[in-house]
Amino acid sequence: LSPALAPAWFNLGLMRHALGEQSAAAYAFIQAAALQPSKVEVQHSLGVAQELLGRVPDALVALGAAHRLVAGSGGATERGVLASLFRATQAACDWRGRGPAPPR
């Protein structure tokens, strides 16, 4: 696929996310990330969709990639990525104190 198609995949992912179709959104974001892995918006959106689907390890990978792309910028994008990364990290924890959370 041409990298020129990445914005189309990203927009499709946004539309699917808005419709509550997280699986379809994640698929579209995966396609966009494969074409443009250095786009923070793509990695962030992929991480959010993965976390909503309960795919926390995959979410942490995408959100970690997004954070590496914006680390140190101090802007709103970095704060949004950090907030999503924090939520996904919380979801990965077993708050009963017995290690990692069981898979959903």
Side-chain angles (χ1 to χ4, degrees):
L1 292 174
S2 168
L5 295 176
W9 280 111
F10 180 67
N11 288 334
L12 178 61
L14 291 175
M15 290 186 332
R16 296 295 193 170
H17 173 75
L19 292 171
E21 300 171 2
Q22 298 311 319
S23 186
Y27 178 80
F29 292 139
I30 287 168
Q31 301 308 309
L35 295 169
Q36 289 188 322
S38 63
K39 291 292 252 186
V40 66
E41 298 85 358
V42 171
Q43 296 291 346
H44 185 198
S45 297
L46 173 57
V48 169
Q50 296 284 36
E51 199 265 329
L52 289 171
L53 288 167
R55 300 175 189 162
V56 176
D58 294 329
L60 291 171
V61 170
L63 293 169
H67 183 252
R68 283 188 296 281
L69 292 167
V70 295
S73 69
T77 300
E78 183 179 19
R79 289 190 297 277
V81 168
L82 284 172
S84 296
L85 188 55
F86 180 73
R87 278 192 309 274
T89 301
Q90 282 184 310
C93 294
D94 178 357
W95 295 101
R96 297 168 296 186
R98 292 179 240 163
R104 291 187 196 180

